[in-house]
Amino acid sequence: MKLRAGILAVLLPLSLWGQKEGERLFALKINSLLESKCIVCHSAKEGKTKGDLDLSTREDMLLGGETSDKVLVPGDPDESLIMTAIEWKDEDYEMPPKENDRLSPEQVGWIRKWIKLGAPWPDQATRKKYLDEERAKPLTDDGILVKTSGGLSE
């Protein structure tokens, strides 16, 4: 019984860490990628859902589209059709469709990691918290030095 409690004591914080890491990754990378590369063609809010696929919310991604209900399989990027599409592994699912809009290997890696972490989709307040934390750093995780004057002067 003590062993089980000990295992749970270790695994629970790890799963919470994974959830938070996934939320942070979504806030700092994934959300803007979806907005810039996917939402124009795959969002009911934008008035377009090509392939009957809406990528504007986690719930809609989990529903899938006309060809698959496994567009997003949280925790399993290899079963998620979105990975096949963004890695251009199948000519029927090459997304984004234009060669010059393809995701970089780094961006594909972000999405793979996000899915592996359970594909969390934090609310707006949580996303803002992560963005504000990142902007407050003198050196971001991307290695960008952020120097400001400290505010506006009159």
Side-chain angles (χ1 to χ4, degrees), residues 72-92:
L72 177 65
V73 181
D76 195 348
D78 294 327
E79 286 296 315
S80 300
L81 184 60
I82 193 169
M83 292 306 303
T84 301
I86 64 173
E87 291 175 328
W88 284 39
K89 288 184 175 178
D90 181 329
E91 66 183 34
D92 291 331

mmCIF file of all heavy atoms in Angstrom, residues 72-92:
data_model
loop_
_atom_site.group_PDB
_atom_site.id
_atom_site.type_symbol
_atom_site.label_atom_id
_atom_site.label_comp_id
_atom_site.label_asym_id
_atom_site.label_seq_id
_atom_site.Cartn_x
_atom_site.Cartn_y
_atom_site.Cartn_z
ATOM 1 N N LEU A 72 -6.770 14.867 -33.751
ATOM 2 C CA LEU A 72 -5.993 15.102 -32.539
ATOM 3 C C LEU A 72 -6.281 13.979 -31.553
ATOM 4 O O LEU A 72 -7.421 13.789 -31.136
ATOM 5 C CB LEU A 72 -6.375 16.445 -31.909
ATOM 6 C CG LEU A 72 -5.700 16.787 -30.586
ATOM 7 C CD1 LEU A 72 -4.195 16.964 -30.764
ATOM 8 C CD2 LEU A 72 -6.303 18.059 -29.998
ATOM 9 N N VAL A 73 -5.224 13.236 -31.204
ATOM 10 C CA VAL A 73 -5.324 12.185 -30.199
ATOM 11 C C VAL A 73 -4.372 12.577 -29.069
ATOM 12 O O VAL A 73 -3.165 12.340 -29.159
ATOM 13 C CB VAL A 73 -4.947 10.803 -30.770
ATOM 14 C CG1 VAL A 73 -5.077 9.725 -29.699
ATOM 15 C CG2 VAL A 73 -5.804 10.466 -31.995
ATOM 16 N N PRO A 74 -4.903 13.256 -28.039
ATOM 17 C CA PRO A 74 -4.042 13.725 -26.954
ATOM 18 C C PRO A 74 -3.167 12.613 -26.378
ATOM 19 O O PRO A 74 -3.642 11.518 -26.100
ATOM 20 C CB PRO A 74 -5.035 14.248 -25.909
ATOM 21 C CG PRO A 74 -6.238 14.634 -26.716
ATOM 22 C CD PRO A 74 -6.304 13.595 -27.804
ATOM 23 N N GLY A 75 -1.874 12.917 -26.270
ATOM 24 C CA GLY A 75 -0.923 11.960 -25.744
ATOM 25 C C GLY A 75 -0.298 11.069 -26.806
ATOM 26 O O GLY A 75 0.657 10.356 -26.537
ATOM 27 N N ASP A 76 -0.831 11.090 -28.031
ATOM 28 C CA ASP A 76 -0.349 10.185 -29.073
ATOM 29 C C ASP A 76 -0.197 10.905 -30.419
ATOM 30 O O ASP A 76 -1.076 10.817 -31.283
ATOM 31 C CB ASP A 76 -1.302 8.997 -29.206
ATOM 32 C CG ASP A 76 -0.704 7.846 -29.985
ATOM 33 O OD1 ASP A 76 0.361 8.020 -30.627
ATOM 34 O OD2 ASP A 76 -1.294 6.752 -29.952
ATOM 35 N N PRO A 77 0.918 11.588 -30.615
ATOM 36 C CA PRO A 77 1.097 12.304 -31.873
ATOM 37 C C PRO A 77 1.118 11.389 -33.100
ATOM 38 O O PRO A 77 0.675 11.786 -34.182
ATOM 39 C CB PRO A 77 2.435 13.022 -31.701
ATOM 40 C CG PRO A 77 3.087 12.435 -30.511
ATOM 41 C CD PRO A 77 2.030 11.770 -29.701
ATOM 42 N N ASP A 78 1.595 10.157 -32.949
ATOM 43 C CA ASP A 78 1.660 9.257 -34.091
ATOM 44 C C ASP A 78 0.294 8.814 -34.581
ATOM 45 O O ASP A 78 0.145 8.400 -35.730
ATOM 46 C CB ASP A 78 2.535 8.041 -33.764
ATOM 47 C CG ASP A 78 3.991 8.428 -33.543
ATOM 48 O OD1 ASP A 78 4.466 9.381 -34.191
ATOM 49 O OD2 ASP A 78 4.657 7.780 -32.710
ATOM 50 N N GLU A 79 -0.722 8.876 -33.717
ATOM 51 C CA GLU A 79 -2.092 8.543 -34.106
ATOM 52 C C GLU A 79 -2.887 9.777 -34.521
ATOM 53 O O GLU A 79 -4.030 9.659 -34.962
ATOM 54 C CB GLU A 79 -2.813 7.828 -32.960
ATOM 55 C CG GLU A 79 -2.369 6.405 -32.754
ATOM 56 C CD GLU A 79 -2.686 5.502 -33.943
ATOM 57 O OE1 GLU A 79 -3.808 5.567 -34.467
ATOM 58 O OE2 GLU A 79 -1.786 4.743 -34.350
ATOM 59 N N SER A 80 -2.298 10.953 -34.384
ATOM 60 C CA SER A 80 -2.982 12.210 -34.698
ATOM 61 C C SER A 80 -2.741 12.583 -36.154
ATOM 62 O O SER A 80 -1.606 12.827 -36.564
ATOM 63 C CB SER A 80 -2.469 13.326 -33.785
ATOM 64 O OG SER A 80 -2.712 13.016 -32.431
ATOM 65 N N LEU A 81 -3.825 12.633 -36.927
ATOM 66 C CA LEU A 81 -3.714 12.939 -38.353
ATOM 67 C C LEU A 81 -3.072 14.305 -38.608
ATOM 68 O O LEU A 81 -2.430 14.504 -39.634
ATOM 69 C CB LEU A 81 -5.093 12.870 -39.010
ATOM 70 C CG LEU A 81 -5.124 13.076 -40.526
ATOM 71 C CD1 LEU A 81 -4.290 12.021 -41.248
ATOM 72 C CD2 LEU A 81 -6.560 13.066 -41.030
ATOM 73 N N ILE A 82 -3.209 15.211 -37.659
ATOM 74 C CA ILE A 82 -2.600 16.527 -37.846
ATOM 75 C C ILE A 82 -1.085 16.402 -38.046
ATOM 76 O O ILE A 82 -0.490 17.153 -38.811
ATOM 77 C CB ILE A 82 -2.949 17.502 -36.695
ATOM 78 C CG1 ILE A 82 -2.569 18.930 -37.100
ATOM 79 C CG2 ILE A 82 -2.280 17.086 -35.396
ATOM 80 C CD1 ILE A 82 -3.108 19.999 -36.177
ATOM 81 N N MET A 83 -0.452 15.419 -37.413
ATOM 82 C CA MET A 83 0.991 15.217 -37.582
ATOM 83 C C MET A 83 1.310 14.754 -39.003
ATOM 84 O O MET A 83 2.254 15.238 -39.617
ATOM 85 C CB MET A 83 1.537 14.220 -36.555
ATOM 86 C CG MET A 83 1.524 14.721 -35.125
ATOM 87 S SD MET A 83 2.360 16.301 -34.852
ATOM 88 C CE MET A 83 4.000 15.973 -35.462
ATOM 89 N N THR A 84 0.510 13.838 -39.533
ATOM 90 C CA THR A 84 0.699 13.377 -40.916
ATOM 91 C C THR A 84 0.596 14.559 -41.862
ATOM 92 O O THR A 84 1.388 14.697 -42.796
ATOM 93 C CB THR A 84 -0.367 12.312 -41.267
ATOM 94 O OG1 THR A 84 -0.236 11.228 -40.366
ATOM 95 C CG2 THR A 84 -0.211 11.828 -42.693
ATOM 96 N N ALA A 85 -0.380 15.428 -41.590
ATOM 97 C CA ALA A 85 -0.611 16.574 -42.467
ATOM 98 C C ALA A 85 0.537 17.585 -42.404
ATOM 99 O O ALA A 85 1.042 18.013 -43.443
ATOM 100 C CB ALA A 85 -1.932 17.252 -42.094
ATOM 101 N N ILE A 86 0.974 17.943 -41.216
ATOM 102 C CA ILE A 86 1.993 18.995 -41.120
ATOM 103 C C ILE A 86 3.392 18.488 -41.444
ATOM 104 O O ILE A 86 4.274 19.278 -41.759
ATOM 105 C CB ILE A 86 1.983 19.702 -39.745
ATOM 106 C CG1 ILE A 86 2.361 18.741 -38.617
ATOM 107 C CG2 ILE A 86 0.631 20.365 -39.496
ATOM 108 C CD1 ILE A 86 2.533 19.421 -37.267
ATOM 109 N N GLU A 87 3.580 17.171 -41.398
ATOM 110 C CA GLU A 87 4.865 16.599 -41.797
ATOM 111 C C GLU A 87 4.886 16.226 -43.283
ATOM 112 O O GLU A 87 5.893 15.747 -43.778
ATOM 113 C CB GLU A 87 5.188 15.358 -40.947
ATOM 114 C CG GLU A 87 5.477 15.697 -39.509
ATOM 115 C CD GLU A 87 5.678 14.479 -38.623
ATOM 116 O OE1 GLU A 87 5.055 13.421 -38.880
ATOM 117 O OE2 GLU A 87 6.462 14.585 -37.669
ATOM 118 N N TRP A 88 3.775 16.427 -43.960
ATOM 119 C CA TRP A 88 3.619 16.129 -45.380
ATOM 120 C C TRP A 88 3.964 14.671 -45.677
ATOM 121 O O TRP A 88 4.666 14.354 -46.632
ATOM 122 C CB TRP A 88 4.464 17.086 -46.224
ATOM 123 C CG TRP A 88 3.897 18.461 -46.371
ATOM 124 C CD1 TRP A 88 3.265 19.192 -45.404
ATOM 125 C CD2 TRP A 88 3.897 19.289 -47.521
ATOM 126 N NE1 TRP A 88 2.895 20.413 -45.882
ATOM 127 C CE2 TRP A 88 3.272 20.512 -47.196
ATOM 128 C CE3 TRP A 88 4.380 19.133 -48.798
ATOM 129 C CZ2 TRP A 88 3.119 21.538 -48.095
ATOM 130 C CZ3 TRP A 88 4.235 20.164 -49.707
ATOM 131 C CH2 TRP A 88 3.601 21.346 -49.357
ATOM 132 N N LYS A 89 3.454 13.755 -44.858
ATOM 133 C CA LYS A 89 3.723 12.328 -45.033
ATOM 134 C C LYS A 89 2.758 11.656 -46.004
ATOM 135 O O LYS A 89 2.983 10.530 -46.409
ATOM 136 C CB LYS A 89 3.655 11.608 -43.679
ATOM 137 C CG LYS A 89 4.816 11.915 -42.778
ATOM 138 C CD LYS A 89 4.730 11.108 -41.507
ATOM 139 C CE LYS A 89 5.940 11.312 -40.652
ATOM 140 N NZ LYS A 89 5.841 10.556 -39.399
ATOM 141 N N ASP A 90 1.671 12.326 -46.337
ATOM 142 C CA ASP A 90 0.661 11.775 -47.243
ATOM 143 C C ASP A 90 0.220 12.910 -48.151
ATOM 144 O O ASP A 90 -0.259 13.944 -47.669
ATOM 145 C CB ASP A 90 -0.511 11.230 -46.421
ATOM 146 C CG ASP A 90 -1.605 10.602 -47.263
ATOM 147 O OD1 ASP A 90 -1.824 11.042 -48.417
ATOM 148 O OD2 ASP A 90 -2.264 9.673 -46.764
ATOM 149 N N GLU A 91 0.348 12.708 -49.458
ATOM 150 C CA GLU A 91 0.044 13.813 -50.383
ATOM 151 C C GLU A 91 -1.407 14.272 -50.325
ATOM 152 O O GLU A 91 -1.719 15.384 -50.746
ATOM 153 C CB GLU A 91 0.435 13.447 -51.810
ATOM 154 C CG GLU A 91 -0.355 12.319 -52.418
ATOM 155 C CD GLU A 91 0.133 11.952 -53.809
ATOM 156 O OE1 GLU A 91 1.336 12.051 -54.062
ATOM 157 O OE2 GLU A 91 -0.719 11.576 -54.626
ATOM 158 N N ASP A 92 -2.300 13.463 -49.765
ATOM 159 C CA ASP A 92 -3.698 13.880 -49.624
ATOM 160 C C ASP A 92 -3.909 14.791 -48.420
ATOM 161 O O ASP A 92 -4.971 15.396 -48.282
ATOM 162 C CB ASP A 92 -4.608 12.654 -49.477
ATOM 163 C CG ASP A 92 -4.682 11.845 -50.757
ATOM 164 O OD1 ASP A 92 -4.526 12.438 -51.840
ATOM 165 O OD2 ASP A 92 -4.878 10.617 -50.669
#
